[in-house]
């Protein structure tokens, strides 16, 4: 049994029932084999063992009172996974499916993603099994204040800087920031994704979706292809999906489908994004309502969005939403590009199937890194006490995505896996973290 296999075995034994975490570690470690074999010094200092155990996990009780006066209790998490290259950085997820295994998988992925951006940020993630859907603003505020009443002890502008993720947008970040400031008296860049009037960065809201499409554009250019004229299917209709759709349309692509956790819409004339923004960003409604407004669209309940014929598929909802049968349907319909906007939306077997069938595949840790990269730009602006224009931030984001594509492409080529962005991104992200960990000794 080689070193990678032994570490994987231990991770499986020590983390029972954390399927998503095991899945993420398996994908990363398997693709690191060539570098691990070429660098026996990593094994001598138990680098992989240290890399797969978080530096710290905080789990806490989050009690709050709902509008009817009933006491509700949720569980809060913050996983501070790796600080070798900078303060922990990663979003907070509020969704009923949240558990420790999911937060650990997200935190683990974040280490390599953050490294890939080229910026000095370590890996972390947090959240709670609280469901903001259907809650009043008052209830969301009560939850956020209670959550921060414990979390504030563990975070800070130079130690750990959380951000948004599923279920955490501008409203939640505002409530969390207000409570942090009240508890600590500090006006500091402790959260990113803040509102523009209190330290937020222009283009942060758009960053993950735009960045995804900048990465896709580079991947297509490498094949002498372009987005213009392509048919695109995007899952989800949240922050990432909406701004991916906006950038695809700006570059001349046609987005024909979007979804949420209830179902999906197909619009043969192309998605009208103003309608989607009104439903999702203003009314906090369901994607079903799109078909009631746009008569060219049809609504389908449940899964099935990947059966829509397209050239490009952008999964932007959640983990394990594109499975082997979905991959088969995409290939059968002639899809040529899959780029992940969500974290680990594609299962391991589906990823392999896509790659074996000539689909160019971009893993989320590379293609959705624009969000955290722009969060790091928000941190820079907060430290410098100044604000860049939209164009300045967008240009930096674009250059960062070009850089991520190049390093993933080049590393894959160097190790004999040309065009395999999974291997390239994992190695590129890992090398910087490994180097920093080696330099800092056994800690
Ligand atoms: P949002 O909460 O804004 O949107 C999430 C979207 O995905 C919604 O349309 C939601 O539908 C759908 N969705 C969520 N859970 C499920 C589920 N279990 N099954 C089906 N659909 C689901 O989140 P974001 O857009 O911010 O995040 C989407 C993905 O992108 C996540 O994987 C996140 O980790 C990743 N990501 C986000 C970044 C960011 O900057 N926001 C940065 C990098 C990655 P519904 O409303 O019905 O729940």
């Amino acid at each position: 049994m080689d070193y990678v296999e032994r570490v994987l075995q231990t991770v499986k034994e020590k983390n029972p029932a954390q399927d998503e975490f095991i899945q993420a570690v398996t994908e990363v470690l398997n693709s690191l084999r060539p570098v691990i074999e070429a660098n026996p010094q990593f094994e001598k200092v138990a680098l992989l063992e240290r890399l797969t155990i978080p530096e710290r996990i905080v789990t806490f009780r989050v009690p709050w009172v709902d509008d009817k006066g009933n006491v509700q209790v949720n569980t809060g998490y913050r996983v501070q996974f790796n600080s070798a290259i900078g303060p922990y950085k990663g979003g907070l997820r509020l969704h009923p499916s949240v558990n420790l295994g999911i937060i650990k998988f997200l935190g683990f992925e974040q280490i390599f993603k953050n490294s890939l951006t080229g910026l000095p940020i370590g890996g972390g993630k947090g959240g709670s099994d609280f469901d903001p859907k259907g809650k009043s603003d008052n209830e969301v505020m009560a939850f956020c204040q209670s959550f921060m009443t414990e979390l504030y002890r563990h975070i800070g502008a130079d130690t750990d800087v959380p951000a948004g993720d599923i279920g955490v947008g501008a409203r939640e970040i505002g409530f969390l920031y207000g409570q942090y400031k009240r508890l600590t008296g500090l006006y500091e860049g402790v959260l990113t994704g803040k509102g523009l009037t209190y330290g937020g960065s222009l283009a942060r809201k758009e960053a993950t979706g735009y960045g995804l499409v900048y990465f896709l554009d580079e991947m297509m250019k490498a094949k002498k292809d372009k987005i213009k004229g392509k048919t695109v299917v995007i899952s989800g209709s949240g922050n990432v999906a909406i701004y991916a759709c906006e950038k695809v349309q700006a570059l001349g692509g046609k987005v024909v489908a979007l979804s949420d956790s209830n179902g999906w819409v197909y619009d043969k004339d192309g998605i009208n994004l103003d309608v989607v923004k009104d439903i999702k960003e203003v009314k906090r409604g369901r994607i079903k309502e799109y078909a009631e407004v746009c008569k060219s669209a049809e609504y389908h309940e449940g899964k099935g969005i990947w059966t829509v014929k397209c050239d490009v598929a952008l999964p932007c909802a959640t983990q394990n939403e594109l499975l082997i049968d979905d991959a088969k349907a995409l290939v059968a319909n002639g899809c040529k590009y899959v780029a992940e906007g969500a974290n680990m939306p594609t299962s391991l077997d589906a990823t392999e199937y896509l790659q074996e069938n000539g689909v160019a595949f971009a893993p989320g840790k590379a293609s959705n890194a624009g969000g955290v990269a722009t969060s790091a730009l928000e941190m820079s602006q907060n430290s410098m006490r100044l604000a860049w224009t939209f164009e300045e931030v967008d240009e930096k984001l674009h250059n960062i995505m070009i850089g991520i594509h190049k390093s993933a492409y080049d590393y894959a080529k160097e190790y004999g896996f040309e065009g395999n962005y999974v291997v390239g991104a994992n190695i590129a992200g890992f090398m910087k973290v490994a180097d920093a960990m080696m330099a800092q000794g056994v800690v």
Side-chain angles (χ1 to χ4, degrees):
M1 213 192 278
D2 67 7
Y3 179 38
V4 165
E5 205 48 56
R6 271 186 283 116
V7 174
L8 276 177
Q9 197 67 40
T10 309
V11 168
K12 284 176 193 161
E13 279 165 22
K14 301 259 179 198
N15 300 277
Q18 295 188 355
D19 294 345
E20 291 85 359
F21 177 57
I22 291 168
Q23 181 181 341
V25 174
T26 304
E27 188 242 274
V28 171
L29 294 201
N30 274 333
S31 64
L32 291 180
R33 273 211 166 77
V35 258
I36 301 297
E37 278 161 20
N39 293 279
Q41 71 274 23
F42 291 157
E43 184 174 356
K44 287 208 182 73
V45 297
L47 193 95
L48 294 183
E49 289 87 335
R50 287 191 280 142
L51 196 63
T52 49
I53 299 178
E55 288 173 17
R56 189 173 302 102
I57 297 178
V58 188
T59 312
F60 50 97
R61 178 206 300 152
V62 190
W64 55 281
V65 181
D66 69 19
D67 287 348
K68 294 191 181 113
N70 298 319
V71 176
Q72 305 283 345
V73 192
N74 290 100
T75 306
Y77 304 93
R78 186 70 184 166
V79 173
Q80 299 180 329
F81 223 118
N82 191 299
S83 62
I85 64 168
Y88 311 105
K89 179 96 198 83
L92 296 171
R93 175 174 292 192
L94 297 183
H95 194 272
S97 64
V98 163
N99 57 41
L100 184 57
I102 288 186
I103 299 298
K104 278 173 67 181
F105 119 64
L106 290 163
F108 183 72
E109 287 282 295
Q110 200 80 45
I111 302 169
F112 308 99
K113 180 190 307 197
N114 292 3
S115 166
L116 274 170
T117 66
L119 301 168
I121 38 179
K125 198 84 186 187
S128 173
D129 55 358
F130 172 79
D131 187 0
K133 243 180 277 163
K135 304 285 192 302
S136 69
D137 286 353
N138 224 14
E139 290 175 323
V140 171
M141 182 169 72
F143 169 83
C144 287
Q145 291 184 339
S146 180
F147 185 83
M148 187 52 87
T149 300
E150 176 57 34
L151 187 68
Y152 88 96
R153 302 169 208 283
H154 312 287
I155 61 175
D158 294 314
T159 50
D160 183 356
V161 184
D165 189 71
I166 290 178
V168 177
R171 174 181 61 170
E172 291 75 18
I173 292 290
F175 294 149
L176 291 163
Y177 190 73
Q179 186 71 354
Y180 179 85
K181 188 160 61 66
R182 184 188 190 193
L183 289 164
T184 62
L186 294 171
Y187 206 106
E188 59 172 11
V190 68
L191 293 166
T192 57
K194 298 185 291 299
L196 295 175
T197 51
Y198 63 96
S201 173
L202 285 162
R204 172 61 188 93
K205 183 175 67 172
E206 293 82 356
T208 308
Y210 278 22
L212 169 65
V213 180
Y214 292 147
F215 191 97
L216 169 69
D217 193 35
E218 292 302 305
M219 190 160 80
M220 293 178 90
K221 278 186 194 150
K223 289 181 164 285
K224 314 238 172 311
D225 203 353
K226 54 180 184 302
I227 293 172
K228 194 167 191 293
K230 296 290 187 296
T231 299
V232 182
V233 167
I234 303 178
S235 65
S237 47
N239 173 263
V240 180
I242 286 175
Y243 292 95
C245 181
E246 186 164 283
K247 188 52 85 178
V248 165
Q249 292 178 339
L251 296 179
K254 182 177 177 185
V255 179
V256 293
L258 286 175
S259 65
D260 62 20
S261 52
N262 294 112
W264 51 281
V265 286
Y266 170 72
D267 189 338
K268 61 179 180 341
D269 292 346
I271 292 289
N272 181 331
L273 199 56
D274 289 338
V275 174
V276 177
K277 283 185 180 177
D278 184 54
I279 295 169
K280 288 289 172 182
E281 293 188 332
V282 182
K283 298 180 183 143
R284 297 182 187 274
R286 310 305 303 158
I287 201 67
K288 184 181 186 172
E289 295 160 40
Y290 180 91
E292 290 156 18
V293 180
C294 297
K295 295 300 170 201
S296 49
E298 31 185 90
Y299 175 72
H300 300 264
E301 191 76 16
K303 295 184 191 300
I305 191 170
W306 307 121
T307 60
V308 176
K309 187 173 166 51
C310 62
D311 306 300
V312 178
L314 303 178
C316 295
T318 192
Q319 65 274 359
N320 291 326
E321 53 156 322
L322 199 165
L323 307 179
I324 183 71
D325 288 342
D326 304 315
K328 287 181 180 169
L330 286 170
V331 169
N333 280 328
C335 177
K336 290 279 176 287
Y337 302 91
V338 173
E340 296 184 327
N343 285 310
M344 207 170 73
T346 319
S347 62
L348 289 173
D349 53 351
T351 303
E352 279 162 18
Y353 185 85
L354 292 168
Q355 289 175 321
E356 281 160 11
N357 285 277
V359 175
F361 178 85
K365 69 169 70 66
S367 50
N368 73 28
V372 73
T374 308
S375 277
L377 300 178
E378 184 174 329
M379 290 164 71
S380 302
Q381 293 170 80
N382 291 163
S383 301
M384 293 188 287
R385 304 268 193 272
L386 50 79
W388 294 325
T389 64
F390 188 97
E391 289 70 25
E392 281 175 294
V393 179
D394 190 34
E395 193 192 339
K396 289 186 197 330
L397 165 67
H398 197 164
N399 286 331
I400 288 168
M401 297 314 295
I402 291 172
I404 293 174
H405 176 272
K406 185 171 172 0
S407 62
Y409 188 89
D410 290 350
Y411 265 106
K413 194 170 171 190
E414 184 184 332
Y415 282 90
F417 293 88
E418 187 166 348
N420 187 331
Y421 292 95
V422 175
V423 171
N426 284 336
I427 295 180
F430 169 79
M431 286 310 267
K432 186 174 160 193
V433 176
D435 192 59
M437 287 176 74
M438 294 297 287
Q440 290 169 21
V442 178
V443 289

